[in-house]
């Protein structure tokens, strides 16, 4: 028999993982011996185990089921603590719980009052800076026993409370979405003494809580528009950090919040941003069917100038699928709608005449004039030049005679409207020919 000092830590872990049930204690100890987690050491002349390995043991399904059956008998404060934690999934950052201490639906006395006892009961555990459920069955059951309407209300209240800690709160409710985004990045939650969670993470968490409540929970149209804008902010933030799967998720939810108010006068700009974001994120993820869906959603509802980003993404998507001829045809049609003087035919004579004309016009500018011309470019010009880049790439893949014609007209357009980095490929193509 080993002295208490050697087995106390092992006993503590076993008790937490078995909930003190004698049968489960025996089963767990037998399994630890079987897999050699606990083994006899001839050197020490006693059984030996690595305490770090023991501490990482998972709670067994049967133990989790036992814990679940006793959940409803927990004190109301402990149960409310678990309910709020379950709204975040399997785990939540402890700093987030500290931020929620003043949340109106937080358990009386705060979370810290109950965490220790819940850990002792084997329901949750604190790992570094995370509070984690010891088994997914426990989290699932805690979440399920919350009535649906109450659950939605809880998600809503948590989301609005956390949103109020960023510029997503009431201050952005009546502002244009661009103004709200500007304020979002000017408001740095990471400087707040209340939490070490950075602003972008808090925006994503707050928005996710609102999404869990769902659009159907909110009956007020202004709330739908407000939370659609939250999703745009969270999606843009995720995309800026190259987390395109998360970005697409937020953009989709934003569109869902506007399902009955798409492309109206007061939602037009927000719809355009959400659809463009969804199409771009889908492009980054290589999900071509999604690109087509969101790009066509834009093209079918906006004017030509506002559809330029969608047109470019759609052409790029077709090219990825090897539909280069289709991409070139679509691109040429769009450029003609934009009043680009693309010849009707692409015979060698027409190509050479077009190149000679472009060279004559370009020779009228010296290097300094071209360099200074960069300042004249605007957003529309850049969008058009990006569109040309996608068309030129498709032309190159099939050695299309349209390539020099498109490049020549793009050089002329750049000289007249401002030169950007996207103009470089067209200048290079004309120089090559």
């Amino acid at each position: 028999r080993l002295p208490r000092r050697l087995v106390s830590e092992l006993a503590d872990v076993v008790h937490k993982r078995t909930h003190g049930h004698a049968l489960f204690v025996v089963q767990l100890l037998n399994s630890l011996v079987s897999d050699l987690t606990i083994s006899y050491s001839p050197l020490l002349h006693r059984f030996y185990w690595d305490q770090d390995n023991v501490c990482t043991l998972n709670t067994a399904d049967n133990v989790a089921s036992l814990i679940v059956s006793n959940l409803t008998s927990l004190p109301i404060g402990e149960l409310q603590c678990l309910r709020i934690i379950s709204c975040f999934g399997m785990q939540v950052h402890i700093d987030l719980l500290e931020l929620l201490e003043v949340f109106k639906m937080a358990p009386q006395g705060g979370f810290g009052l109950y965490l220790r006892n819940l850990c002792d009961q084997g329901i949750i555990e604190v790992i570094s800076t995370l509070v984690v459920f010891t088994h997914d069955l426990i989290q699932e059951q805690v979440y399920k026993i919350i009535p649906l309407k109450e659950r939605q209300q809880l998600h809503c209240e948590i989301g609005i409370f956390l949103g109020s800690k960023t510029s997503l709160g009431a201050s952005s409710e009546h502002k244009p979405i661009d103004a709200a985004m500007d304020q979002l990045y000017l408001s740095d939650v990471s400087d707040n003494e209340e939490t070490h969670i950075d602003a972008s993470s808090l925006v994503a968490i707050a928005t996710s809580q609102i999404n869990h409540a769902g659009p159907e929970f909110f009956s007020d149209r202004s709330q739908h528009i407000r939370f659609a804008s939250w999703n745009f902010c969270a999606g843009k933030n995720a995309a800026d950090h190259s987390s395109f799967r998360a970005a697409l998720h937020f953009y989709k939810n934003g569109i869902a919040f506007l399902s009955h108010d798409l492309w109206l006068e007061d939602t037009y700009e927000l719809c355009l941003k959400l659809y463009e974001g969804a199409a771009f994120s889908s492009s980054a993820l290589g999900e071509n069917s999604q690109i087509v869906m969101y790009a066509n959603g834009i093209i079918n509802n906006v004017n030509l100038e506002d559809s330029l980003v969608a047109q470019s993404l759609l052409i790029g998507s077709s090219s990825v699928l090897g539909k280069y001829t289709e991409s070139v045809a679509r691109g040429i049609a769009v450029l003609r709608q934009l009043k680009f003087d693309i010849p009707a035919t692409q015979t060698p004579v027409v190509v050479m005449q077009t190149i000679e004309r472009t060279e004559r016009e370009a020779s009228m500018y010296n290097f300094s004039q071209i360099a200074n011309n960069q300042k004249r470019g605007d957003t529309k010009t850049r969008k058009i030049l990006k569109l040309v880049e996608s068309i030129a790439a498709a032309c190159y893949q099939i050695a299309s005679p349209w390539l020099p014609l498109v490049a020549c007209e793009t050089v002329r357009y750049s000289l007249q409207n401002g030169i950007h980095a996207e103009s470089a490929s067209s200048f290079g193509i004309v120089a090559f020919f």
Side-chain angles (χ1 to χ4, degrees), residues 320-333:
V320 168
L321 296 175
K323 300 177 181 179
Y324 301 115
T325 302
E326 179 182 317
S327 296
V328 172
R330 172 180 283 276
I332 297 296

Side-chain angles (χ1 to χ4, degrees), residues 388-408:
V388 170
E389 275 194 323
S390 62
I391 299 169
C395 288
Y396 176 79
Q397 291 294 332
I398 55 175
S400 172
W402 289 112
L403 179 59
L405 297 176
V406 170
C408 285

Side-chain angles (χ1 to χ4, degrees), residues 202-223:
L202 201 55
V203 166
I205 294 168
T207 305
S208 294
Q209 290 297 311
I210 293 298
N211 292 339
H212 280 303
E216 66 282 353
F217 180 74
F218 304 93
S219 57
D220 190 335
R221 180 175 181 271
S222 65
Q223 291 288 69

Side-chain angles (χ1 to χ4, degrees), residues 168 177 180-181 184-185 203 228-238:
L168 286 180
I177 185 62
M181 273 303 296
L184 169 65
Y185 289 107
V203 166
S229 71
W230 282 31
N231 273 284
F232 167 71
C233 291
K236 186 177 185 303
N237 221 0

